[in-house]
Amino acid sequence: MGRAKYLYVLPLAAVTVAAFARPEISKPLDEISSVKVNDLSAVLETYADKNVSNPAEKTKLKMKVVDEKGKPIIAATVLVANTTNGTLTDENGNFTLEVGTDQSIQVAYIGMSTVTMSVKDCLKKADQTIVLTESDTNTYSGAYPFTFRQLIRV
């Protein structure tokens, strides 16, 4: 019975040897098997470098938000554009926010025009302040045809 199993294995072995002995099959197989793991990892790293952008440098942005008269704006909304990352200004109009140097911030307050600035421009400002101006009350912005300040004056 032990020799009977060789009758099944020998033809299979002969077919395998014949198939891999053919040059059109064995040459590509040799090339594939000769690739070293280090070579493969180098190829993968190169591919990853080309297809994944490196994240921008992070920085802590510390600024002040004021109105046209230089008074601090309390609780103005400061958002990193196209994200949900943001904060509010404190009682002195100051805020601190960690941002990427390639990003932009949006500063908004009720009744004021929204300001959008790149982080690079913010870092270049000597006084580190953002000035919000009163929005044009004669234009309809879509939500309400009046500002919060107008509502309080009534």
Side-chain angles (χ1 to χ4, degrees):
M1 189 78 163
R3 292 184 184 180
K5 63 180 167 185
Y6 289 118
L7 293 175
Y8 295 113
V9 174
L10 285 175
L12 252 153
V15 169
T16 305
V17 169
F20 288 107
R22 294 176 48 197
E24 64 270 8
I25 295 175
S26 61
K27 186 175 180 181
L29 186 61
D30 288 341
E31 289 175 11
I32 292 171
S33 63
S34 67
V35 173
K36 297 178 184 173
V37 174
N38 293 339
D39 294 340
L40 184 60
S41 63
V43 168
L44 290 175
E45 286 174 12
T46 304
Y47 182 75
D49 290 344
K50 288 180 183 176
N51 292 314
V52 178
S53 61
N54 292 332
E57 181 181 324
K58 292 280 187 178
T59 186
K60 200 171 260 194
L61 188 62
K62 295 180 182 183
M63 297 191 76
K64 184 173 188 171
V65 180
V66 297
D67 64 9
E68 297 154 314
K69 298 175 185 171
K71 292 182 181 178
I73 298 180
I74 302 167
T77 304
V78 182
L79 286 174
V80 178
N82 301 319
T83 71
T84 56
N85 186 20
T87 188
L88 296 175
T89 57
D90 64 12
E91 63 273 357
N92 298 318
N94 298 316
F95 72 90
T96 303
L97 192 60
E98 188 159 329
V99 293
T101 55
D102 64 337
Q103 294 179 309
S104 295
I105 60 166
Q106 294 177 329
V107 184
Y109 188 73
I110 296 172
M112 308 293 257
S113 296
T114 300
V115 173
T116 303
M117 290 182 72
S118 71
V119 172
K120 290 179 182 177
D121 289 342
C122 290
L123 294 172
K124 290 177 187 175
K125 290 180 72 82
D127 59 0
Q128 296 295 294
T129 60
I130 298 173
V131 179
L132 295 184
T133 57
E134 198 163 325
S135 66
D136 184 10
T137 57
N138 295 327
T139 60
Y140 180 66
S141 65
Y144 300 101
F146 47 84
T147 65
F148 185 69
R149 288 185 182 174
Q150 289 174 328
L151 188 62
I152 292 174
R153 289 183 198 154
V154 173

